[in-house]
Amino acid sequence: MPAYKLMYFDTKGRAEVIRLAFAVAGQSFEDKRIPLSMEEWQTVKPTIPQKQLPCLQVDGRLIPQSRAIMRYLAREFGLYGDNNDENTRVDVIIGTAEDFLKSVIALRYEKDDTK
Ligand SMILES: N[C@@H](CCC(=O)N[C@@H](CS)C(=O)NCC(=O)O)C(=O)O
């Protein structure tokens, strides 16, 4: 098995589903959490493709984009289904989770308390 290192901030956000995929697969990984204080992130950022997290390191190769990472691991761990219909059901769940996350993030930064 390759050595996996998942880089993200010290929160669930876009990384938690990836962490869950490792847990479901029983695969160990380094859960590198960069402190939300932006100091360390500003040092790390220039080394990350697309300059955003999460980013997965697989034996030294860097994979950006949370959905690409999820699909990569799902294929690696046999969690993506066995045929096109099953793959598509997984894609629907991934897309729905993304929509849900976007609405949670919007709520987090909403200034109007009544909403
Ligand atoms: N489409 C990207 C979005 C990644 C993204 O927005 N990452 C944010 C944290 S959730 C980030 O790295 N923010 C810090 C920055 O842009 O400097 C993905 O799904 O991975």
Side-chain angles (χ1 to χ4, degrees):
M1 270 290 173
Y4 294 107
K5 177 180 176 180
L6 177 65
M7 291 172 275
Y8 194 60
F9 302 104
D10 191 13
T11 185
K12 292 184 175 135
R14 293 181 190 278
E16 196 64 5
V17 175
I18 300 167
R19 295 183 185 116
L20 288 172
F22 280 115
V24 167
Q27 173 63 51
S28 61
F29 69 106
E30 183 184 347
D31 190 11
K32 171 68 181 167
R33 292 173 184 242
I34 295 164
L36 280 171
S37 74
M38 288 288 142
E39 215 169 278
E40 184 176 347
W41 170 229
Q42 291 310 323
T43 311
V44 174
K45 187 168 177 156
T47 69
I48 302 291
Q50 302 191 0
K51 318 297 178 219
Q52 286 191 317
L53 298 178
C55 184
L56 180 68
Q57 186 173 312
V58 185
D59 282 342
R61 285 182 296 121
L62 292 173
I63 304 173
Q65 290 291 343
S66 56
R67 309 302 128 173
I69 295 168
M70 274 181 216
R71 290 188 174 91
Y72 173 80
L73 291 179
R75 286 189 293 265
E76 287 294 299
F77 299 156
L79 301 172
Y80 211 152
D82 293 328
N83 55 53
N84 199 13
D85 280 347
E86 289 181 6
N87 300 160
T88 303
R89 284 176 62 195
V90 174
D91 286 340
V92 169
I93 292 167
I94 289 174
T96 305
E98 174 69 11
D99 288 349
F100 176 72
L101 183 65
K102 276 185 196 155
S103 59
V104 170
I105 290 170
L107 260 184
R108 164 72 180 73
Y109 293 101
E110 176 59 55
K111 301 278 183 240
D112 181 350
D113 283 345
T114 58
K115 290 186 182 171

